[in-house]
């Protein structure tokens, strides 16, 4: 085995996996407050960079001004989604809320297709195309920057959940009824989690848009985000980070060795296999909390 080739695949896979984890963190934020997997996270990841390009190209703003404006806009989008679509379903079965998030995903993708069309658009972040070497290993510069942003977002998420508002969100996730009984506004907490999740989606979409292009395919990151979230435990932000590393390494190494033999498609096969095996063997993920109910 060529160990240098293996290490290069593993390192670049780990960096890409951290970018998957950024999508998963948004899913975890909502699950921690409402115990519902958000199937609209892929569409939010697609919508964010479209708004960035709208501010940068159509409004002719600087890219580094357009990104914060898009994040503020997506924060508002998250609040609106919770207030208009999800608050009305309070107390309904979880499957109803899950289907609503799927409906939101379809609506957002259709809206983006109508407004911006289906052609791909470049996301010019000014990332150099010059090779980046980590010792003898060639590293994807865009992945390295994306991994750094993910670690910053992870640190901010951990800090947030140690604040008073973070404690409130954890209480809401533990027990809606008990939270209401002590005067906690469950609706505001869930709305805030949707808003923060939309900001995470924007950051992930901008980073992935710079790697590929900004188009409908960004919404397909939902599958990677869900897989990372399930593997790490849907209520664990740290688990999402570790699971992203594991999935990225496994996916990249497998595709590097098997794609030349099989003709491609190994990445999608690995993601599907990891998701299925996790649900079958350890449905609560690596670090997810398993609640035991007494009857």
């Amino acid at each position: 085995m060529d160990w240098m080739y293996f290490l290069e695949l593993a390192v670049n896979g780990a960096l890409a996996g951290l970018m998957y984890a950024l999508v998963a963190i948004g899913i975890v934020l909502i699950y921690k407050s409402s115990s519902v997997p958000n199937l609209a996270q892929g569409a939010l990841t697609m919508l964010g960079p479209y708004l960035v390009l709208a501010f940068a190209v159509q409004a002719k703003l600087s890219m580094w001004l357009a990104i914060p404006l898009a994040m503020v806009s997506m924060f508002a989008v998250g609040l609106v989604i919770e207030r208009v679509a999800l608050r009305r379903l309070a107390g309904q079965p979880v499957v109803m809320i899950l289907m609503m998030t799927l409906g939101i995903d379809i609506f957002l993708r259709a809206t983006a297709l109508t407004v911006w069309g289906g052609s791909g658009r470049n996301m010019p972040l000014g990332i150099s195309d010059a090779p980046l070497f980590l010792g003898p290993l060639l590293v994807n510069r865009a992945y390295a920057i994306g991994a750094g942003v993910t670690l910053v977002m992870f640190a901010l998420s951990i800090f947030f959940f140690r604040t008073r508002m973070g404690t409130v969100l954890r209480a809401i996730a533990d027990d809606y009824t008990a939270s209401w009984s002590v005067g906690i506004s469950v609706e505001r907490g869930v709305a805030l989690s949707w808003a923060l999740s939309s900001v995470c989606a924007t950051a992930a979409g901008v980073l992935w848009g710079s790697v590929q292009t900004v188009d409908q395919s960004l919404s397909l990151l939902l599958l990677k985000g869900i897989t990372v979230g399930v593997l790490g435990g849907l209520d664990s932000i740290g688990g999402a980070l570790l699971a992203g590393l594991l999935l990225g390494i496994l996916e990249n190494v497998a595709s590097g060795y098997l794609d030349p033999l099989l003709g491609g498609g190994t990445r999608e096969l690995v993601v599907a296999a990891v998701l299925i095996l996790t649900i079958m063997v350890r449905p609560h993920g690596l670090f997810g909390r398993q609640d035991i109910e007494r009857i």
Side-chain angles (χ1 to χ4, degrees), residues 49 52 77 115 118 123 133 157 200 221 244:
V52 171
V77 167
V115 175
M123 176 64 69
F133 286 93
S157 300
C200 285
L221 288 168

Side-chain angles (χ1 to χ4, degrees), residues 22-23 26 41-53 55 66-78 123 125 149 153 194-210 214 218 221:
L22 188 54
V23 181
Q41 193 69 17
L44 293 172
T45 302
M46 174 204 65
L47 182 61
Y50 270 126
L51 291 180
V52 171
L53 292 178
F55 286 124
I67 293 175
L69 283 176
M71 288 185 170
V72 172
S73 299
M74 289 297 292
F75 187 93
V77 167
M123 176 64 69
L125 296 183
V149 172
M153 297 290 286
W194 271 89
L196 294 175
S197 177
S198 299
V199 172
C200 285
T202 304
V206 168
L207 293 171
W208 278 107
S210 68
V214 178
L218 286 177
L221 288 168

Side-chain angles (χ1 to χ4, degrees), residues 246-282:
L246 294 175
L247 181 66
I249 293 172
L250 183 59
E251 177 192 66
N252 209 43
V253 170
S255 66
Y257 285 102
L258 297 180
D259 276 357
L261 301 176
L262 303 178
T266 308
R267 291 178 181 273
E268 290 72 19
L269 180 62
V270 168
V271 173
V274 169
L275 179 58
I276 293 170
L277 289 175
T278 302
I279 293 174
M280 292 175 61
V281 177
R282 194 177 178 87

Side-chain angles (χ1 to χ4, degrees), residues 18-204:
L18 286 175
M19 293 172 65
Y20 294 150
L22 188 54
V23 181
I25 287 174
I27 296 173
V28 170
L29 284 172
I30 291 177
Y31 189 86
K32 283 177 74 70
S33 65
S34 61
S35 298
V36 175
N38 175 24
L39 299 184
Q41 193 69 17
L44 293 172
T45 302
M46 174 204 65
L47 182 61
Y50 270 126
L51 291 180
V52 171
L53 292 178
F55 286 124
V57 177
Q58 298 174 0
K60 301 185 183 304
L61 299 177
S62 164
M63 182 63 70
W64 303 111
L65 179 59
I67 293 175
L69 283 176
M71 288 185 170
V72 172
S73 299
M74 289 297 292
F75 187 93
V77 167
L79 293 177
V80 170
I81 288 175
E82 190 281 330
R83 181 65 182 87
V84 174
L86 296 171
R87 191 170 298 185
R88 300 171 184 270
L89 296 179
Q92 297 296 320
V94 173
V95 67
M96 298 293 291
I97 305 175
L98 192 65
M99 290 300 100
M100 175 59 80
T101 65
L102 179 59
I104 294 169
D105 174 84
I106 296 170
F107 174 78
L108 292 178
R109 287 192 286 113
T111 301
L113 186 62
T114 301
V115 175
W116 290 289
S119 59
R121 306 183 181 202
N122 293 324
M123 176 64 69
L125 296 183
I127 299 176
S128 173
D129 293 329
L132 175 65
F133 286 93
L134 184 62
L137 304 178
L138 177 62
V139 176
N140 186 307
R141 189 182 295 268
Y143 285 173
I145 294 174
V149 172
T150 300
L151 292 175
V152 171
M153 297 290 286
F154 170 73
L156 291 175
S157 300
I158 295 298
F159 173 77
F160 173 76
F161 276 101
R162 293 181 182 275
T163 64
R164 175 182 173 84
M165 195 64 225
T167 303
V168 168
L169 289 184
R170 292 203 305 273
I172 292 172
D174 285 339
D175 194 317
Y176 272 28
T177 305
S179 299
W180 267 314
S181 68
V182 297
I184 294 175
S185 176
V186 173
E187 294 84 358
R188 289 183 181 179
V190 175
L192 179 61
S193 68
W194 271 89
L196 294 175
S197 177
S198 299
V199 172
C200 285
T202 304

Side-chain angles (χ1 to χ4, degrees), residues 209-231:
S210 68
V211 173
Q212 47 190 72
T213 56
V214 178
D215 56 19
Q216 293 280 316
S217 67
L218 286 177
S219 64
L220 299 178
L221 288 168
L222 173 66
L223 178 59
K224 304 289 180 72
I226 286 288
T227 302
V228 170
V230 170
L231 178 60

